[in-house]
Amino acid sequence: MNTKRPHRPLTLRDVSEASGVSEMTVSRVLRNRGDVSAATREKVLTAARTLGYVPNKIAGGLASQRVNLVAVVIPSLSNMVFPDVLGGISAELDDTGLQPVVGVTNYSPPREDTVLYDMLSWRPSGVILAGLEHSKAARAMLDHAGLPVVEIMDIDGEPIDCAVGISHRRAGAEMAEEILNAGYRRIGFIGTHMPEDHRARKRLAGFEERLAEAGITLAAREYYQGNSSLLKGRELTERILTREPDLDFLYYSNDMIGSGGLLWCMEQGYDIPGKLGLAGFNGVELLDGLPMRLTTTDARRIDIGRRAARIVAGKEPPPEDGVIALAPTFLSGDTIRHR
Amino acid sequence: MNTKRPHRPLTLRDVSEASGVSEMTVSRVLRNRGDVSAATREKVLTAARTLGYVPNKIAGGLASQRVNLVAVVIPSLSNMVFPDVLGGISAELDDTGLQPVVGVTNYSPPREDTVLYDMLSWRPSGVILAGLEHSKAARAMLDHAGLPVVEIMDIDGEPIDCAVGISHRRAGAEMAEEILNAGYRRIGFIGTHMPEDHRARKRLAGFEERLAEAGITLAAREYYQGNSSLLKGRELTERILTREPDLDFLYYSNDMIGSGGLLWCMEQGYDIPGKLGLAGFNGVELLDGLPMRLTTTDARRIDIGRRAARIVAGKEPPPEDGVIALAPTFLSGDTIRHR
DNA sequence: CTGAAAGCGCTAACAT
DNA sequence: ATGTTAGCGCTTTCAG
């Protein structure tokens, strides 16, 4: 493969020689820097184009000590939630000359360390990373890197530099509040068994706290391993309702399993939201097309991406106290009683 | 922000001074290259760790003329299909020291050119990009780059270097075959209106060709703009069936709108697959959790990602004729009659 | 096994 | 408006 295309990568010097203009001026033209006469500009551009020159950012970055990359470190891509965050980030970065580069940790702290290390070794202009919980090593790296760090999604904790997100405790508490107000009392929880999913943990903590204030404890809980899928939602819903048939509400740790549960319950003929209420978390687009609208909380994913990107890009000053708190938004849907 | 953390990024020289070992030897230790005595090795490693040194790959890449990056250029992330491809790629790249870097084109050729240009300017070790249709400029860039190029997803066309994918014409034709064999005759098609989605176009072409061989033409078609979602699937299904109530099969250009259509039809009480059959394309995980299993074609996304990565990584020689053709796999599901 | 010298391709800073 | 010089931080190459 590729043996018939033995082209040596072109350099500035090649363009310089082809156009009869000094390397420095060629460089200026290619970066739109400094004043260059229209005539030489044309010569250079033509030469570059006909040769098919592509600048070498490795060399450029080393010389200028600046790299137009923003490292984005997230736990997962299959989650349906991170593409939205990324969307917000790219949209906001689009006119800044900065480029997002994505690293995925799979919710593994050692993997996060590796990914961070690798990304920092490219000397990016900034870092956006999910969550507030990081290894000592990771914090050390970020401290030494001397670049803007924005932690996203979560604000319940101490940011390294600054954080943009929602309070998951609050999201959980507010959902509990709504459920209690609607009159449900025998409440079950279905969530992933991931010690490293701190946001899910905090949501549940906030949820249970609010229940406790009303003198209520979770009547049942069910955990699963691996990816969230409709199928998992079905299976766990069946399991929890078989075990505890008199539950009147199920709180799911995300919309995907919540949707699976909703579909299963509808097939079984449960009276929703009359006898059984359901709620998820995230506010994903999928919910728009289901037979009933699952009650959920909008996690403000796109806004989070945008604000984080704005800060890294310097479009917006970092917050005084280091925290931008967005409000999780309750979406009542059809699967909770309206009073 | 960040004013309290003014650390200058550390260099090899810092580690060298801290450990009393020459820069060259430090470099050897940090890269596990050449023989270094266990003693000096320890000294260096300790120094590097306590300082919190992170190597500068910009400088390293410039000096060594090698960069352990693989550029991956895909049309979309929200498509639910590309995360799978990426999964295959990362899995296979994991033990090679190569890192995928993703660029997204949004199905826009000019945008593809820009993304490619930007990625090539980092001088990656290889390029994996979706599709066989590229601008003249893009082809020129790739020719001059002098690195392995693997075009993925599609094999109906002329690869620049080599291609890994399925024949979408064949996938469409095979689905047509199954539908005809099952006895359906009044067939409608619902797809996205995207001139740049060449694979969807080829699938439909293969589909219609096979129908034509049986003397049948599409009885109706409906196109939509924008993202595929359950909701769009519902709306378009309602529209096409209102317009042409006597259709007995709907072929969707992907599983997401197919699923939306399926849910809508079930709610309306259509006799599926008796009076109305449905099929999508891709074979996404979502289908596992729906009330009925949508008939579809497995597009072999993960395999495609793996094979492409293997070639770029040099784990597998590029195919003689430049093409690795995987077989699209028919998944019969519940929404087509079994004979 | 370790070190010294040269230079990767580009740009900052200073000429002119 | 354009050119010259030096060097970014690392690795290659060659000597010990």
Side-chain angles (χ1 to χ4, degrees):
Chain A
M1 176 173 58
N2 206 26
T3 37
K4 348 126 201 185
R5 307 188 287 104
H7 294 273
R8 168 182 63 74
L10 299 160
T11 69
L12 260 190
R13 164 170 244 111
D14 295 311
V15 181
S16 168
E17 283 169 2
S19 62
V21 178
S22 79
E23 282 189 46
M24 195 55 234
T25 301
V26 171
S27 169
R28 284 193 183 94
V29 171
L30 263 23
R31 288 176 299 140
N32 296 314
R33 275 305 224 287
D35 296 319
V36 180
S37 74
T40 34
R41 165 176 224 76
E42 245 356 279
K43 270 194 291 190
V44 170
L45 253 22
T46 314
R49 212 165 307 147
T50 59
L51 289 177
Y53 172 70
V54 177
N56 185 331
K57 284 201 184 165
I58 301 276
L62 183 59
S64 66
Q65 305 282 48
R66 277 179 295 92
V67 168
N68 64 339
L69 255 29
V70 174
V72 180
V73 179
I74 55 179
S76 157
L77 267 184
S78 61
N79 208 238
M80 205 166 214
V81 5
F82 295 105
D84 283 339
V85 179
L86 284 181
I89 292 175
S90 338
E92 205 65 52
L93 250 35
D94 237 17
D95 59 347
T96 65
L98 290 172
Q99 253 192 28
V101 182
V102 179
V104 176
T105 68
N106 295 316
Y107 288 99
S108 150
R111 174 102 189 123
E112 177 172 278
D113 289 358
T114 312
V115 169
L116 257 177
Y117 186 83
D118 282 347
M119 309 215 90
L120 289 180
S121 72
W122 290 105
R123 302 290 188 264
S125 300
V127 175
I128 297 176
L129 80 168
L132 293 164
E133 284 77 17
H134 312 290
S135 76
K136 249 178 76 179
R139 296 187 76 103
M141 273 189 263
L142 291 169
D143 277 340
H144 282 287
L147 43 72
V149 177
V150 183
E151 288 162 284
I152 56 169
M153 315 299 285
D154 190 5
I155 58 165
D156 297 325
E158 206 49 57
I160 294 176
D161 213 33
C162 76
V164 180
I166 63 168
S167 165
H168 286 259
R169 300 192 82 84
R170 176 176 157 193
E174 288 182 356
M175 184 57 82
E177 182 78 22
E178 298 283 352
I179 293 170
L180 292 171
N181 282 345
Y184 299 100
R185 289 298 177 269
R186 297 215 21 103
I187 301 164
F189 172 80
I190 297 180
T192 169
H193 178 68
M194 276 210 274
E196 299 303 339
D197 188 345
H198 301 282
R199 293 177 287 289
R201 178 173 53 69
K202 290 171 186 175
R203 231 147 50 223
L204 179 55
F207 187 76
E208 291 197 78
E209 260 166 39
R210 182 64 196 83
L211 291 189
E213 285 170 28
I216 293 187
T217 56
L218 278 181
R221 51 183 84 210
E222 205 61 66
Y223 293 95
Y224 63 96
Q225 312 253 3
N227 278 345
S228 305
S229 66
L230 290 183
L231 192 55
K232 285 256 179 56
R234 287 174 172 271
E235 293 168 351
L236 286 149
T237 302
E238 174 165 16
R239 192 176 311 162
I240 203 171
L241 286 173
T242 304
R243 202 153 51 78
E244 299 283 343
D246 57 344
L247 292 176
D248 65 3
F249 204 96
L250 295 174
Y251 184 37
Y252 294 87
S253 76
N254 64 65
D255 288 339
M256 187 57 88
I257 51 166
S259 298
L262 171 60
L263 289 172
W264 186 83
C265 290
M266 290 181 70
E267 287 167 29
Q268 302 301 311
Y270 278 88
D271 170 14
I272 302 171
K275 295 267 191 266
L276 180 66
L278 305 171
F281 178 82
N282 264 332
V284 300
E285 190 189 29
L286 187 81
L287 303 187
D288 297 342
L290 261 23
M292 290 181 83
R293 278 187 95 93
L294 184 67
T295 299
T296 192
T297 305
D298 178 359
R300 308 290 303 275
R301 303 182 298 287
I302 298 179
D303 294 330
I304 288 173
R306 294 197 93 101
R307 297 295 290 276
R310 289 179 59 80
I311 293 174
V312 170
K315 285 183 181 179
E316 171 176 338
E320 279 300 322
D321 58 351
V323 174
I324 292 183
L326 302 179
T329 312
F330 174 72
L331 301 174
S332 66
D334 308 320
T335 63
I336 189 170
R337 284 194 291 262
H338 294 312
R339 315 211 89 189
Chain B
M1 176 172 56
N2 205 23
T3 37
K4 344 122 200 188
R5 305 187 288 106
H7 293 272
R8 167 182 63 76
L10 298 160
T11 69
L12 259 191
R13 164 170 243 109
D14 295 311
V15 181
S16 167
E17 285 170 0
S19 63
V21 178
S22 80
E23 283 188 45
M24 196 51 238
T25 302
V26 171
S27 169
R28 284 195 183 94
V29 172
L30 263 22
R31 286 175 302 139
N32 298 314
R33 275 306 227 288
D35 296 319
V36 181
S37 75
T40 32
R41 165 177 223 74
E42 248 351 283
K43 269 194 292 189
V44 170
L45 253 22
T46 315
R49 212 165 306 148
T50 60
L51 288 177
Y53 172 70
V54 176
N56 184 332
K57 284 201 182 162
I58 301 280
L62 182 59
S64 66
Q65 305 281 50
R66 278 180 293 93
V67 168
N68 64 340
L69 256 28
V70 173
V72 180
V73 179
I74 55 180
S76 159
L77 267 183
S78 59
N79 209 238
M80 205 164 212
V81 6
F82 295 105
D84 283 338
V85 179
L86 284 181
I89 292 174
S90 337
E92 205 65 52
L93 250 34
D94 238 18
D95 59 347
T96 64
L98 290 172
Q99 253 192 27
V101 182
V102 179
V104 177
T105 68
N106 295 317
Y107 288 99
S108 149
R111 173 105 189 122
E112 176 173 277
D113 288 358
T114 312
V115 169
L116 257 178
Y117 186 82
D118 283 347
M119 309 214 88
L120 289 180
S121 72
W122 290 106
R123 301 288 188 267
S125 301
V127 176
I128 296 175
L129 79 169
L132 292 164
E133 285 76 15
H134 312 289
S135 75
K136 249 179 76 180
R139 296 188 77 103
M141 273 190 264
L142 291 169
D143 277 338
H144 283 286
L147 42 72
V149 177
V150 183
E151 289 163 284
I152 56 170
M153 316 300 285
D154 189 5
I155 56 165
D156 297 325
E158 205 48 57
I160 294 177
D161 213 32
C162 76
V164 180
I166 63 169
S167 164
H168 286 260
R169 301 191 82 85
R170 175 175 157 194
E174 289 182 356
M175 183 58 81
E177 182 77 22
E178 297 283 352
I179 293 170
L180 293 171
N181 282 345
Y184 298 100
R185 289 298 177 268
R186 297 213 22 100
I187 300 163
F189 171 80
I190 298 181
T192 169
H193 177 68
M194 277 211 274
E196 299 303 339
D197 188 343
H198 301 282
R199 293 176 288 288
R201 178 173 53 68
K202 290 171 187 175
R203 230 147 50 223
L204 178 56
F207 186 77
E208 292 197 77
E209 260 166 39
R210 183 63 196 84
L211 291 190
E213 285 170 30
I216 292 188
T217 55
L218 277 181
R221 51 183 85 209
E222 204 60 66
Y223 292 95
Y224 63 96
Q225 312 254 1
N227 278 345
S228 304
S229 66
L230 290 182
L231 192 54
K232 284 256 179 57
R234 288 174 172 271
E235 292 168 352
L236 286 149
T237 302
E238 173 165 16
R239 194 177 308 162
I240 204 171
L241 286 173
T242 304
R243 202 152 53 76
E244 299 283 343
D246 57 344
L247 292 177
D248 65 3
F249 203 97
L250 293 174
Y251 183 38
Y252 294 88
S253 76
N254 65 65
D255 288 338
M256 186 57 89
I257 52 167
S259 297
L262 170 61
L263 289 172
W264 186 83
C265 289
M266 291 182 70
E267 287 166 29
Q268 302 301 311
Y270 278 88
D271 170 14
I272 302 172
K275 295 267 190 269
L276 180 66
L278 305 171
F281 177 82
N282 265 330
V284 300
E285 189 189 30
L286 187 80
L287 302 187
D288 297 341
L290 261 23
M292 292 182 82
R293 279 187 95 93
L294 183 68
T295 299
T296 192
T297 305
D298 178 358
R300 309 290 303 274
R301 303 183 298 288
I302 297 178
D303 293 331
I304 288 173
R306 295 198 92 101
R307 297 297 291 276
R310 290 180 58 79
I311 293 174
V312 170
K315 285 184 183 180
E316 170 176 342
E320 278 301 321
D321 58 350
V323 174
I324 292 183
L326 303 179
T329 312
F330 174 73
L331 302 174
S332 67
D334 309 320
T335 62
I336 189 170
R337 283 193 292 260
H338 294 310
R339 317 211 88 189

